[in-house]
Amino acid sequence: MATILVVDDSKFERDALRKMLEEAGHQVVGEAEDGVEAYLQYLRLQPDLVTMDVEMPRMDGIRALRKILYHFTDAKIVMISGNTERGSVMRSIWLGAKNFIVKPVASAKLNQIIDSVLGGGNKKTSSAPQ
């Protein structure tokens, strides 16, 4: 099973995602409530996958996605948002997100997407300073 970093500014949403992921056998190795924290946690943990909310304070999910992928080109990030605006979805995918889930998140859909994203392997390469 995969190691996962859960990023969302809502504690309720993080707890719900953690529960769904752990019930599916994944290990949630960290949580972050904004993009700045997400990047720092990614550097430290280098998880197999990140679930990333789009709208967050300090640094939104789109900026965090770009920053993580700039340093870790093979990072697997699945964006999650209540905003169904086509522009947000398309921009996330164009920037390198592996998929986009609209809130509220259904457990079956979440696990189907994670299985699909991780199907190609879990290895990453880093160009970030050590």
Side-chain angles (χ1 to χ4, degrees):
M1 291 288 119
T3 58
I4 300 177
L5 171 63
V6 175
V7 183
D8 198 299
D9 59 327
S10 165
K11 173 84 168 119
F12 176 81
E13 291 290 338
R14 289 193 315 270
D15 289 346
L17 286 168
R18 174 185 284 276
K19 183 177 181 195
M20 285 185 262
L21 293 165
E22 289 177 346
E23 285 176 352
H26 300 294
Q27 180 184 6
V28 176
V29 293
E31 295 182 13
E33 56 186 46
D34 62 49
V36 173
E37 247 183 75
Y39 177 71
L40 295 173
Q41 289 279 13
Y42 194 93
L43 286 175
R44 186 173 67 83
L45 301 168
Q46 297 191 26
D48 297 323
L49 185 132
V50 178
T51 63
M52 178 89 68
D53 187 19
V54 173
E55 296 175 16
M56 298 181 290
R58 289 204 310 166
M59 180 188 290
D60 67 30
I62 301 286
R63 288 177 53 210
L65 167 77
R66 289 176 66 176
K67 188 167 185 163
I68 291 170
L69 287 173
Y70 179 80
H71 295 286
F72 298 87
T73 57
D74 292 339
K76 292 175 175 64
I77 302 173
V78 173
M79 303 303 285
I80 298 177
S81 180
N83 180 355
T84 59
E85 180 183 301
R86 183 178 162 101
S88 294
V89 175
M90 297 306 292
R91 186 164 186 224
S92 296
I93 300 300
W94 182 78
L95 289 170
K98 300 300 181 191
N99 213 315
F100 194 103
I101 301 172
V102 177
K103 291 179 184 177
V105 178
S107 183
K109 182 70 170 175
L110 175 67
N111 290 312
Q112 174 190 22
I113 287 172
I114 287 175
D115 290 345
S116 172
V117 168
L118 294 175
N122 300 341
K123 299 294 179 202
K124 311 173 253 331
T125 56
S126 167
S127 59
Q130 300 297 320

